[in-house]
Amino acid sequence: MSLINGYTSTTSTSSSTTTPGSSSSTTTQGNESVVMNGSMAEKSIEERKAYLRSMKLERRSSSSIGHEKCPIHFDLELDHKPPTREDMIPNLAASYRSLLKDLGEDPEREGLLKTPERAAKAMLYFTKGYDQTVDDVMNGAIFDEDHDDLVIVKDIEMFSVCEHHLVPFWGKVSVGYLPNKKVVGLSKVARIVEIFSRRLQVQERLTKQIALAIVEAIQPTGVGVVVEGTHMCMVMRGVQKVSAKTTTSTMLGVFRDDPKTREEFLTLVK
C-alpha cells in the first residue's frame, strides 16, 4: 500500500503488450485489463480512471455539493456532474422528518406534514451560494476606467447561516476598493456578498472571502471589507446577549499598508 496525495492506493505489478501494426495495447494491472485504443477521448470513464491510476497522476478532490461521497475525482471525468439542488430535496426532507421524530414530534400531524419538504427547500435557498461563482455573477460587468480614488459600497444587507449551530446570523457589509484602471458594476459587489453569505459560514471567513473575490475580479491596488453581524447562536442560546454585535474586517493591499487610506475607508463606512 502507498499513500498518494492523501489517498491510499494499492501498488501492483503491471505489464503491457502491443499488437504489431496496431495503435492498440493492453495494460494489465493486477487482475484488471484496460484496453488502450488510440487517444484518451475514445476511452470510457472507467478506462480513463484506470489509466490515470496506472500513471499515478495527481488526484483532486472537490468541495462541491454532490461530490462529497465521491472517493476520487479526475480532470478527465467530463460527464461526472453533481445532482441538481432539486434532486437533493427528498433526502433532505427525509433527514428533517427523522429529526422531528427524534425530537419526540409526530411528523404526520397536520401542522408538520409538509414541514420536512419546506425545511429542505429553505435550507437549499439559505445555501444557494454553493452553486454560484464570482465569474457567474460578474457576467462581464468589468470596465476599463481611469479612476484611482476610493469606491465604496456600504451597508449591503447580509444573511447567512452559522456553520457551528445551523442558526442564522445577519448584518451589513461595507466594501471599498482602490481601482487599478478597472472598475466593477456596483451591483456586482452586492452579488459577491450574496454568493459567500448564502453558505454555511463563520463571519471571519466570510469577510476575507469577499475581499479576495474583489481582488480576483479586478486586481485593485487595495480592498477593504467590514462586516457587522448579529448571531442567533449568541442571542437565543448560550450567553443570550440580545444586543451583542460582531465586527470583522479584512484589509488588503494599500488598505493594509497605508494608514491614511485605511483611516479614510473606515471613516466613510461608519
Side-chain angles (χ1 to χ4, degrees), residues 170-196:
W170 68 93
K172 293 184 177 181
V173 180
S174 295
V175 179
Y177 69 93
L178 272 175
N180 183 19
K181 306 301 182 182
K182 290 184 182 293
V183 297
V184 62
L186 296 178
S187 68
K188 305 306 181 184
V189 177
R191 292 190 184 278
I192 287 174
V193 172
E194 186 78 357
I195 288 176
F196 294 105

Side-chain angles (χ1 to χ4, degrees), residues 256-268:
R256 177 181 288 270
D257 300 333
D258 182 4
K260 290 184 178 180
T261 302
R262 182 168 62 250
E263 182 181 358
E264 180 184 0
F265 169 66
L266 293 174
T267 299
L268 290 172

